[in-house]
Amino acid sequence: MAELTAQIEQAREEYYVRDAPTLADAEYDRLERELRELEAENPQLARVDSPTQTVGGQAAPGFAPVAHLERMMSLDNAFSLEEVDAWAARALDGLGAGAKAEFLCELKIDGLAIDLVYENGVLARGVTRGDGRVGEDVTANVRTIANVPERLGTPNPPAILEVRGEVFYPSAAFEELNDQRREAGLAEFANPRNTAAGSLRQKDPAVTASRALAVYVHGLGAHDGLEAASQSAVYAQLQEWGLPTSPHWRVLQDLGAVRDFITDRGEHRHDVEHEIDGIVIKIDSFAQQRQLGATSRAPRWAIAYKYPPEEVTTKLLDIAVNVGRTGRVTPYGVMEPVKVAGSTVEMATLHNQFDVERKGVLIGDTIILRKAGDVIPEIVGPVEALRDGSERPFVMPEDCPACGTPIAPEKEGDKDWRCPNTKSCPAQVAGRVEHAASRGAFDIESLGEESAIALTDPDRRRPEALAALRAGHAVYLPIRSAEDLASPAFVVMKNGEESRGTDGVPMLRITEENQDLLPPPQHGVVTIGDNLFDLTPGDLEHVVVWQPLRRGGESTGDWQIVPSFWSRQIWRYYKTTSEWRLTKPSQPGKTTDLLMDQLEHAKEQPLWRVLVALSIRHVGPTAARSLATAYGSMDAIRAASLEELTGTDGVGPIIAEAVRDWFAVDWHGALVDAWAASGVRMADEVEEGFVRTLEGLTVVVTGGLEGFTRDGAKEAIIARGGKASGSVSKKTDYVVVGENAGSKADKAADLGLRILDEAGFEALLAGGPEAVGDAAEATETTEADEAAATEKD
């Protein structure tokens, strides 16, 4: 308990006073929760001034201490919906049998708490939270924040009004600030919260004024001259007086609606203007708040639900490099596994060596790791205060780790280094095969990253396994024949461990001493990609891959060799004859049969998907659709001049040059010819009487349509000469609105654009603007009438 207390107090000082936290929020929450549990189990050891009973930190040096008119409290946290339910049950129980309450739910802003005091309607001071009783006077800096009014917008202001809020750095402004710092060669700021705190605590208010800070107020302290019955009523009054209140709050009638609000906002937590880390839930009624009261540090009538952390700290064990399908050599961090945003992360990209230098990370650092929603994990930077001198810098390798070819920038000034062995570098071939099978290309679901590696580079992890052998670990090899059963290396494995019984799986245990039993090095059955559509199950029979051996979900340090596309032989021990017999030979797996079927089906995919699958730089689905629509066949695209390609709608000079350069490489043309010989369709069938009804028009489709998939709608638009856009703007000609349409439909209505339902979309495809002129005009008129009626009401 003493150790936890010291850690928490140190973390508070770094967070509140120095604006240089060394712990991620999730780690701080874990420590505080552990201390709270220990205090509950050992109440005789709990300190009166324990961090679980106090708020915030001390005032930072350089700012005058100021006492709050009314104490600023903290909030208790909930980390699950069940904990929210338990809090609500306690609150309702405290209100009396059969009591009901309305819940005000609002976004928990990830910023810096602020206390604003207005005297007779004029801003008198701005003070940080501090320890909840005394904070720092940052009035001069607060006055530079654009949305903080100097005077309240009322002729009859209250004599005293103390409001609490949160200073934050808007997400878009934060990205812009970091873009500017990148261009200036300066280190980027780690996150909006720390940047907001550091900006507010600048000694020079001019520096604060240069930062795009904003404030939302969300609570009351001392007040004289403000009467309201509820939190929601206060928000309405504060907004009327010109104080900035958040638009993201709702008053909800029951816990089911509260749960839905938490879930919905969690799914859209990056759609608002600021960072959030949870939802604050309050009893709306002030009378009920007073009835429930507070503990020594937090009100009983409110709780903060915390979303899974998106920013954590962990140890950077190493920086390795990965080779992508275009030959780009990318450094990535190898870290101690850590859970962030709901998933366990062990690796994160570092883009290039300049990115490593710019972020200032060293191998061995404690680092800040961020993973926002489904975004790829990102190493933000090091926690320099935790360095002990054992850290070392990253050095870019001179040779490609996959094929040994010397690597270098493609041209002078490039930040990215590449392996020039584009034809046969196993890592590049694996990347191209995986890309060809991706959803935006041939859409071969059974051919993912692991299968692509097994086809092209099955020995990729062999060096790691051999390193484990040298370190004293073992590699387990399946029995391949009856002769293996007589080997001294023969063992029986059960649940990942060697078993004394005979009811397990027979294996060979390979160590450094008998590693001659290991299978010889393998070469991929796909070496360039030209034979991808000619593969048979027989080609894949002997492909094996190397995998770490886990027990109970944990790594053991040992490795195993397993068949990738065929099943393992099944051997059974017969006690009556004291012998092992082969009861089920190896055979193609179900996923292998599925792969064969999907490869055959992929041959019939439209031309644009074939173009995407070729991994031509800059040619994604949009450019590929444009090329396929304009030329109709692979031969026509290959024959087109640079000028013709450049003039193609949706292509332009960069893509055109990339296409010409790609086809100028001899083995690229041979690859296309091989696929064509295997039966891959290289031309689109044109429907008889097909008319380009959407020539020059931009169409946006939002929401679900019964008769079209998302890709199908895009293809229908592009095939008729239109542009299928993903965003609504004044230049959009039509917006097709299906079921569960989101903000795009609202924006289209706001801009007065022509809106169609699915029937209108089908008419537009068939007959062009003339076919929907009246319907679109009617839609516009109806919306205009509704808007006018709403304004009149």
Side-chain angles (χ1 to χ4, degrees), residues 249-269:
W249 61 270
R250 299 288 184 274
V251 175
L252 305 172
Q253 305 300 313
D254 55 56
L255 277 178
V258 171
R259 281 171 164 263
D260 291 344
F261 184 86
I262 290 172
T263 301
D264 177 70
R265 297 321 305 170
E267 292 171 353
H268 299 90
R269 62 190 289 187

Side-chain angles (χ1 to χ4, degrees), residues 631-662:
Y631 294 94
S633 72
M634 190 70 74
D635 286 342
I637 295 170
R638 293 171 75 170
S641 67
L642 181 62
E643 292 73 20
E644 289 171 332
L645 291 170
T646 301
T648 304
D649 184 41
V651 177
I654 294 176
I655 296 175
E657 189 171 354
V659 172
R660 293 307 304 150
D661 288 349
W662 193 89

Side-chain angles (χ1 to χ4, degrees), residues 90 102 130 143 221 362 484 499 515 560 575 622 671 683 689 695 733:
R90 290 193 302 272
E102 293 185 330
R143 293 185 191 280
L362 302 176
D484 285 343
S499 170
Q515 60 180 295
Q560 58 181 339
K575 293 183 180 179
T622 300
L671 173 68
E695 195 75 55
D733 294 291

Side-chain angles (χ1 to χ4, degrees), residues 576-596:
T576 54
T577 57
S578 300
E579 63 179 344
W580 289 87
R581 295 180 192 169
L582 178 64
T583 58
K584 191 173 184 181
S586 179
Q587 58 187 18
K590 291 182 179 179
T591 55
T592 303
D593 292 336
L594 179 62
L595 174 61
M596 297 296 114

Side-chain angles (χ1 to χ4, degrees), residues 27 34 40 48 65 89 91 93 105 193 239 251 270 313 352 603 646:
E27 179 65 9
E34 184 179 353
V48 176
D93 186 58
C105 295
R193 190 270 164 199
Q239 186 176 22
V251 175
H270 300 289
T313 54
N352 53 53
K603 296 177 183 179
T646 301

